[in-house]
């Protein structure tokens, strides 16, 4: 049995929008400034906050998702990533108990806290509240026996007297202690993180902004008490890793789109490919005019093609290179933004229509509101690089674009998946033809041992 003893905290919210992201970033940065190695994680399938957390810690941030993966996988990934860290910070998603089910812990931050035996620091909006905060904390602390709320951060607080009242209200009912109160206006505003509006990168979250968040946390939070609570976490025990995924019989060179327009990738997905003998070769559809030499396949991930539609369209050489690669029998896997890039055109919210690769006979357009936000259970509809028809993967969808014209079925394309979303029947999704597979679904395959078998087999491995 392998044991991970890394101290850890889950920063969870009483609801969305209470400031847990700002506090997770600020606390991470503050602890790093104290000389600690901080390993961060993000609950749920989000791609944006992990980018910010990576900037705050200087270490790769990993997603932990109970619905897309499994308890064993979550614990193994945590132990692997946090093994050499001094403390781990897990930023929650939505409210503490919100997830894939209204009746169970499935897919929630609370589920992860229980699986990792991690103390929860509950962030709540204290504006206009005093003893009522104690009532709220009482409900959260006693709601699920397997989840331990160990401390409370009151955000949007008022005066020093307000903080004293909140602390006394909690202690009077023997509730978890107040570990800090953030006064209104003490945290600098973060850029909007809604998909399709602002990209999560160094430009959006500067070192100066991170330091302002850290300064607020150091001033208003008891970091000593927080570390004491983090050290109260139990050990994470996992079985020793067994045989890893199939190794390819030869090196597979995978060209992966990595720039401002395409950067939504789960790092553990990529790590699994590398363990299996895949060489990741980054390229930029924005800035480069040709594909990397001698690549066996292309991976076009999600991102913000709509923000860079004009530059993508003007890079005629790269569009032609991708088109030629596809028409020459090259293997291409595309998700969400990558799917859009493979289409004939993309129409932006201002009504401008930009021509793209035309590999897929579809057109897409951005809308002002989200067209899909859901977990997705995807059954392969055809044999592909991820295995045989009938194999099941899990992932998620989050996009503001939609397909406006679709001539694919008349051109010999087949559905890539049969996708089941919560509360709906299975529906055809995506496009598959020859060695090309594209859809809106972001698959998580690192938690599926058979994924590498299918991938390497697709290339004769």
């Amino acid at each position: 049995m392998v044991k991970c003893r890394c101290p850890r905290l889950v920063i969870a919210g009483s609801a969305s929008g209470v400031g847990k992201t700002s506090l997770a970033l600020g606390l991470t940065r503050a602890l790093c400034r104290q000389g600690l190695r901080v390993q961060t994680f993000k609950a749920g399938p989000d791609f944006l906050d992990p980018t910010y957390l990576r900037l705050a810690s200087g270490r790769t941030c990993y997603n932990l998702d109970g619905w897309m993966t499994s308890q064993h996988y979550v614990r193994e990934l945590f132990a692997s990533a946090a093994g050499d860290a001094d403390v781990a910070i897990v930023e929650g998603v939505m409210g503490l108990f919100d997830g894939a089910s209204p009746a169970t812990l499935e897919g929630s931050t609370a589920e992860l806290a229980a699986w990792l035996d991690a103390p929860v620091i509950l962030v709540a909006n204290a504006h206009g509240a005093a003893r009522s905060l104690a009532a709220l904390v009482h409900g959260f602390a006693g709601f699920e026996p397997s989840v331990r709320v160990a401390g409370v951060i009151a955000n949007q607080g008022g005066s020093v007297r307000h903080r004293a009242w909140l602390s006394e209200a909690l202690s009077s009912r023997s509730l978890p202690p107040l570990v800090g109160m953030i006064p209104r206006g003490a945290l600098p505003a973060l850029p909007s993180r809604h998909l399709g509006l602002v990209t999560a990168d160094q430009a959006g979250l500067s070192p100066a902004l991170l330091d302002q968040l850290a300064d607020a946390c150091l001033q208003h939070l008891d970091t000593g008490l927080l570390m004491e609570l983090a050290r109260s976490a139990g050990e994470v025990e996992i079985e020793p890793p067994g045989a890893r995924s199939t190794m390819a019989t030869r090196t597979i060179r995978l060209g992966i789109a990595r720039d401002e327009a395409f950067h939504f990738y789960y790092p553990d997905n990529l790590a699994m490919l590398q363990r299996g003998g895949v060489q990741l070769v980054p390229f930029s559809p924005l800035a480069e005019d040709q594909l990397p030499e001698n690549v066996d396949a292309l991976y076009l991930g999600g991102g913000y093609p709509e923000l860079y539609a004009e530059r993508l369209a003007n890079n005629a050489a790269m569009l032609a290179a991708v088109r030629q690669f596809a028409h020459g029998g090259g293997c291409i896997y595309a998700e969400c933004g990558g799917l859009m890039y493979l289409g004939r055109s993309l129409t932006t919210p201002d009504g401008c229509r930009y021509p793209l690769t035309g590999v897929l006979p579809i057109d897409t357009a951005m809308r002002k509101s989200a067209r899909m936000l859901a977990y997705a259970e995807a059954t392969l509809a055809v044999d592909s690089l991820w295995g045989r028809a009938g194999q099941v993967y899990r992932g998620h969808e989050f996009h503001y674009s939609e397909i406006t014209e679709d001539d694919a079925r008349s051109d010999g394309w087949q559905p890539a998946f049969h996708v089941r979303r919560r509360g709906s029947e299975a529906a055809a999704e995506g496009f598959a033809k020859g060695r090309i597979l594209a859809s809106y679904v972001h698959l998580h395959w690192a938690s599926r041992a058979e994924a590498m078998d299918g991938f390497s087999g697709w290339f004769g491995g």
Side-chain angles (χ1 to χ4, degrees), residues 16-180:
S16 293
V18 296
K20 61 181 178 293
T21 297
S22 294
L23 288 165
L25 289 170
L27 181 59
T28 295
R29 185 72 160 195
L31 295 176
C32 286
R33 279 172 30 181
Q34 293 177 348
L36 299 178
R37 292 167 296 182
V38 184
Q39 177 59 54
T40 59
F41 300 89
K42 171 63 182 177
D46 179 31
F47 288 108
L48 306 183
D49 288 348
T51 306
Y52 283 167
L53 288 164
R54 176 181 58 80
L55 292 173
S57 70
R59 295 167 63 107
T60 299
C61 176
Y62 294 89
N63 295 79
L64 300 177
D65 191 294
W67 189 89
M68 289 199 304
T69 65
S70 66
Q71 179 176 358
H72 176 76
Y73 184 82
V74 165
R75 291 166 65 88
E76 185 178 51
L77 178 58
F78 177 88
S80 174
D84 67 340
D86 298 309
V87 63
I89 301 294
V90 181
E91 183 198 339
V93 60
M94 301 183 290
L96 174 60
F97 296 106
D98 302 321
S101 168
T104 71
L105 293 180
E106 185 181 21
S108 69
T109 303
E111 179 180 60
L112 298 175
W115 286 354
L116 298 174
D117 193 10
V120 173
I121 304 301
L122 183 69
V123 181
N125 190 330
H127 180 53
R131 191 165 184 250
S132 293
L133 179 71
L136 181 146
V137 174
H138 181 272
F140 272 81
F143 191 67
E144 285 283 353
S146 62
V147 179
R148 177 164 64 99
V149 177
V152 178
I153 296 176
N155 198 12
Q156 301 292 327
S159 63
V160 173
R161 184 183 180 192
H162 187 201
R163 175 173 180 151
W165 273 55
L166 295 175
S167 181
E168 184 177 351
L170 294 172
S171 63
S172 70
R173 296 301 298 264
S174 300
L175 292 169
L178 189 74
V179 296

Side-chain angles (χ1 to χ4, degrees), residues 281-323:
V281 186
F283 71 98
S284 171
L286 279 173
E288 298 173 14
D289 59 7
Q290 58 185 349
L291 295 172
E293 293 184 358
N294 302 319
V295 290
D296 299 290
L298 301 179
Y299 181 9
L300 303 168
Y304 299 95
E306 68 277 7
L307 295 183
Y308 302 93
E310 184 174 8
R311 286 179 59 190
L312 290 169
N314 287 340
N315 192 351
M318 179 58 80
L319 295 178
V322 173
R323 192 160 47 241

Side-chain angles (χ1 to χ4, degrees), residues 6 33 49 69 99 101 132 138 182 196 205-206 214 273 304 310 324 332 346 355 366 368 421 438 452 458:
C6 180
R33 279 172 30 181
D49 288 348
T69 65
S101 168
S132 293
H138 181 272
I182 307 294
L205 192 70
S206 67
L273 294 177
Y304 299 95
E310 184 174 8
Q324 182 178 356
I332 302 178
L346 167 60
M366 293 298 298
K368 293 183 179 180
R421 306 174 184 93
M452 195 62 217
W458 193 247

